[in-house]
Amino acid sequence: MSNVPAYGLWSLVIINSLIFIIFAFSFTKPRTPRDWRSFGAFSAFIVALFAEMYGFPLTLYLFSGWLQTRYPGLNIFSHDAGHLWWTLLGWKGDPHWNPIHLLSSVIIFGGLIYLGNAWEVLYKAQRSHTLAVSGPYATIRHPQYVSFIIIMLGFLLEWPTLLTLLMFPILVAMYIRLAHQEERDAFAEFGEEYAHYAAMTPAFFPWGRRNTQRKLSHAQESHHDP
């Protein structure tokens, strides 16, 4: 394991954060306030992640006593030690090539590709004022939010930190709330067309329950009430 400290590198925090934020921005092209909220929350997660990865290892610092007791030879301020799964499982060699790190990379870039496919369909639908029902939208109603969650899960697997672990459920709850707002707006704009689409297409998982019809029917009744 390298004994060279790998923190306090704030230029790397900025560079890596910008790479992923700009990459996600090029896919999402946020236009509405809802788009900017979802993109902003994802950006905050990315900055918090890289701040611990290259800036200040808060998680390692808080657990330094336990880690040094459990692993006497461990240099907690080396970059390798920040790969917590590699450290806790006692693996040897380059941590960037351990199975968990490789799996996390597949999840992250798979999520980015899925995000790009979803937003391409959504962007075209928004420009033509039609309902997005093709591509990823043919299997679930909210692939854009699912993409963000997949990417964050990949980063949590690759480099778990206390801050991002705390942020994750909050961001998931926010994305679910944004999805519900999006559904109400879509129903107001497309009416029965969206009601039919929602009845046939699960919200977040391809195998999920198609149980939105009752909610949309209630929304329709409220919409027609004087």
Side-chain angles (χ1 to χ4, degrees):
M1 179 183 297
S2 173
N3 291 320
V4 179
Y7 297 99
L9 306 175
W10 295 103
S11 60
L12 286 181
V13 174
I14 295 171
I15 291 170
N16 281 277
S17 297
L18 286 176
I19 288 173
F20 280 93
I21 291 171
I22 292 172
F23 198 53
F25 182 87
S26 68
F27 282 151
T28 60
K29 299 180 177 66
R31 299 171 59 191
T32 67
R34 184 186 300 115
D35 293 342
W36 281 106
R37 285 197 296 274
S38 63
F39 176 74
F42 174 77
S43 300
F45 179 92
I46 293 296
V47 172
L49 170 79
F50 285 113
E52 282 214 37
M53 190 179 292
Y54 296 112
F56 179 74
L58 177 63
T59 302
L60 290 176
Y61 178 78
L62 293 176
F63 286 97
S64 60
W66 178 80
L67 286 170
Q68 288 179 330
T69 300
R70 181 75 181 271
Y71 307 95
L74 179 67
N75 175 14
I76 63 170
F77 292 110
S78 69
H79 182 78
D80 286 354
H83 294 265
L84 283 179
W85 293 119
W86 180 84
T87 298
L88 296 176
L89 293 173
W91 285 341
K92 305 298 181 182
D94 189 340
H96 296 90
W97 294 101
N98 74 71
I100 293 178
H101 191 281
L102 293 175
L103 175 62
S104 69
S105 297
V106 171
I107 293 172
I108 291 167
F109 287 102
L112 287 169
I113 293 171
Y114 191 56
L115 178 65
N117 292 336
W119 279 97
E120 181 181 5
V121 173
L122 182 61
Y123 181 70
K124 291 179 179 178
Q126 288 175 339
R127 292 193 63 181
S128 61
H129 301 286
T130 57
L131 191 61
V133 295
S134 62
Y137 286 89
T139 54
I140 58 174
R141 300 197 301 275
H142 303 289
Q144 74 277 24
Y145 299 128
V146 171
S147 299
F148 282 129
I149 293 171
I150 289 173
I151 296 167
M152 291 189 297
L153 276 173
F155 277 121
L156 284 177
L157 188 63
E158 178 176 311
W159 197 278
T161 73
L162 287 177
L163 184 56
T164 52
L165 284 170
L166 289 172
M167 291 176 67
F168 181 73
I170 297 173
L171 295 182
V172 170
M174 187 201 75
Y175 286 137
I176 292 173
R177 185 170 65 252
L178 289 174
H180 291 162
Q181 293 175 0
E182 186 175 276
E183 290 188 340
R184 289 192 292 269
D185 292 344
F187 179 77
E189 182 175 358
F190 297 105
E192 289 299 328
E193 181 183 1
Y194 186 78
H196 176 73
Y197 166 71
M200 300 299 295
T201 312
F204 300 104
F205 305 100
W207 56 86
R209 294 177 59 190
R210 297 164 173 79
N211 60 355
T212 307
Q213 183 65 48
R214 185 187 304 173
K215 296 179 182 178
L216 291 174
S217 297
H218 178 71
Q220 184 180 25
E221 292 172 3
S222 301
H223 180 71
H224 287 297
D225 285 342

